[in-house]
Amino acid sequence: MVERKADLGGRTPEDLARLDAAHVWHPFTPMRQYAGTRAPVIVRGEGVRIQDAEGRWYFDGTSAIWLNVHGHRVPEIDAAINDQLGRIAHSTLLGQANVPSILLAERLVELAPSGLDRVFYTDNGAGAVEAAIKMAVQFWANQGIDRRFVLGFTDNYHGDTLGAVGVATDDLFHAPFLGLLPGHPRVPYPKRFRAADSDSALQNSLDAADRTLRERDDIAAVIVEPVQGAAGIIPSPPGFLKGLRALCDEHDVLLIVDEVATGFGRTGTMFACDPEGIAPDLLCIGKGLTGGYLPVAATLATDRVFDAFLGEIDEARTFFHGHSYTGNPLGCAAALANLGLLESLLPQLPGKVELLAAELEPLTEHPFVGDIRQAGFMTGIELVRDRATGEGFAYRERAAWLVTDAARERGLLVRPIGNVVIFMPPLGSTPDELTEMTTILREAFAAATPALEELVSG
C-alpha cells in the first residue's frame, strides 16, 4: 500500500524523486547517471526490510551500508533512545562528562581486546581513524621523537577525510588531492584472487612491511583493515594480524587496527582481532556500534599511549582534537542497548555464517563469478570476464550494477563496488530471511547473465 502523504512530508513519491534529483548530492554516486534512475526513497523500516515511498518493500542486503545489526525499529534500542531523550539529547565532553558516555566506555573496555582501557569518542569511522593517526604521531612527538609517517596497505580504505585518505590513497577516488597528502609508505595487502594464493600473499606482505620498518626510523604506526571492505571484501589470511603485531613489537611502532567495518559481530566474532588473539595499540570502531541508529564512533587506546599525553600544562602534551557531538548521550544510549542485545546474538552467528556460505556456494559455478569472499556476514562476489585469468570488466561497463539492479527489481537491496557485488545482511536476520535473500541474489545473477554475455562478446 502506498504511504499516506503525511508519511512523505505532505509530498507525493513523484515530488520527492524530483526534489531529490534537484537538491541532494549523494555520496559515492555518479550523479549524472543517478539522475536518470528512479532510486527508491526510503520511508520506513521493519525488521530486516525497508519500504520506499511507493510502498515497495526490500530486504536490506547491505545493512544500511554495513551499519545495521538487529534490523530496523528494534524495541530495545528505540526505548533506550526515547528514555535518554527524556533526560538530555546532547551535552559536550569538553571539560565535563555525561552518564551514557561513561557507561559505554566501561562496556567497550570490557568487550575490546585486552589492554585497550581508554576510549576517545568521535562521530564516524573516518573520524576514529583521524584520531588514531594523530594519537600515534603525537605519542612519539610528546617523547621528543620525530615519527610522522604511518605505514599502510594497498587497497585498504580508512575513510574520506584527508588524514584517512593519506594512509589509503586511491588513484580513482583521490586524484585531485594526491598533492596535498604527506606520502605515507604503503606495502601490498595479502590480496589474492583465489584462496589458494593466501599463504604466499601473507608472507610477501609481512616481508614487505618488515623491510619498510627496517629501512625507516620515521614510522609512528602501522594501520590495517582486518578485512578489506571497500576493496571488495578481502579477508586477511589467518596469522596476518598476529604477524603484524609481532613486527610492530620488534620494531617498536604502534599498531592501529581499523575495525570500523568489521567490529561488533560483522565477521562472526565481536572483533576481527579476537580469533588471532592480538590487541592493537589503537582500535578504531564505528558503524555497528549503535546498531545502525546514530553516528557514534571511537578510538580505543592502551594506557601506554594515553600516558604519553599526560603532563604539566606548559608541556602542551594535551590531545587537542575533538568534535562537537563527541560522546553524544543519545548515541551512547543506543550503543549500550545494542551491545546488550549483541551479546545474546553472537552465539547464533556461526550457524548463520555457515548457512550463508552454503546458500551462496552455487554461484561459484556462475560463468562470470571469479571469486566469492566471505568473512562472517561480509560477502563480496566478484564478477570477471574470464574465470581462468581473473580479468575484470572495465569500470565504465558497470557490470556489477546489472546484478544489483536485477536484485532490486526482485526486492533485495545490495550494492556494487567496482566489479564486486557486496552482500552484507543484518546479523539479526533469521535463517529463513537469509535463505530468501540469497535466493533472490542467485536469481539476480541468473537474470543478469545475458547482459554480461553481451558485454563480453561486444
Side-chain angles (χ1 to χ4, degrees), residues 8-21:
L8 306 182
R11 307 302 178 93
T12 66
E14 292 74 21
D15 289 337
L16 292 171
R18 177 179 54 80
L19 290 168
D20 177 47

Side-chain angles (χ1 to χ4, degrees), residues 365-384:
E365 301 302 320
H366 189 279
F368 297 107
V369 170
D371 196 16
I372 299 178
R373 299 181 289 270
Q374 183 184 356
F377 273 63
M378 304 176 73
T379 304
I381 306 168
E382 185 168 1
L383 289 164
V384 295

Side-chain angles (χ1 to χ4, degrees), residues 287-326:
K287 287 195 183 293
L289 174 55
T290 69
Y293 269 67
L294 289 165
V296 178
T299 305
L300 276 62
T302 62
D303 280 331
R304 180 194 178 204
V305 172
F306 178 82
D307 288 348
F309 290 79
L310 303 179
E312 300 302 324
I313 291 294
D314 58 2
E315 293 181 280
R317 292 189 175 194
T318 300
F319 188 48
F320 293 109
H321 181 91
H323 303 280
S324 299
Y325 281 93
T326 292

Side-chain angles (χ1 to χ4, degrees), residues 116-251:
L116 294 164
D117 293 330
R118 303 290 176 167
V119 178
F120 187 91
Y121 290 111
T122 51
D123 300 348
N124 54 62
V129 169
E130 291 277 343
I133 292 170
K134 291 177 70 176
M135 286 175 183
V137 172
Q138 190 174 342
F139 168 81
W140 296 107
N142 283 354
Q143 301 174 69
I145 301 171
D146 184 12
R147 294 188 180 187
R148 64 184 66 183
F149 292 98
V150 175
L151 175 60
F153 291 87
T154 53
D155 297 321
N156 271 203
Y157 169 81
H158 298 292
D160 302 308
T161 51
L162 281 179
V165 165
V167 295
T169 54
D170 181 278
D171 290 342
L172 174 63
F173 290 170
H174 308 135
F177 318 115
L178 297 179
L180 302 176
L181 303 176
H184 295 294
R186 302 172 79 197
V187 295
Y189 189 80
K191 183 175 182 178
R192 80 291 189 280
F193 176 59
R194 290 194 173 92
D197 304 326
S198 291
D199 289 344
S200 59
L202 166 65
Q203 196 58 52
N204 290 340
S205 183
L206 290 177
D207 287 347
D210 186 31
R211 283 194 301 272
T212 302
L213 293 173
R214 289 184 186 281
E215 292 167 358
R216 300 183 59 155
D217 60 4
D218 57 358
I219 305 296
V222 174
I223 187 169
V224 68
E225 283 187 288
V227 177
Q228 284 193 330
I233 314 298
I234 302 173
S236 59
F240 180 59
L241 293 180
K242 185 174 288 187
L244 277 184
R245 176 72 274 179
L247 284 177
C248 290
D249 291 341
E250 178 183 351
H251 296 286

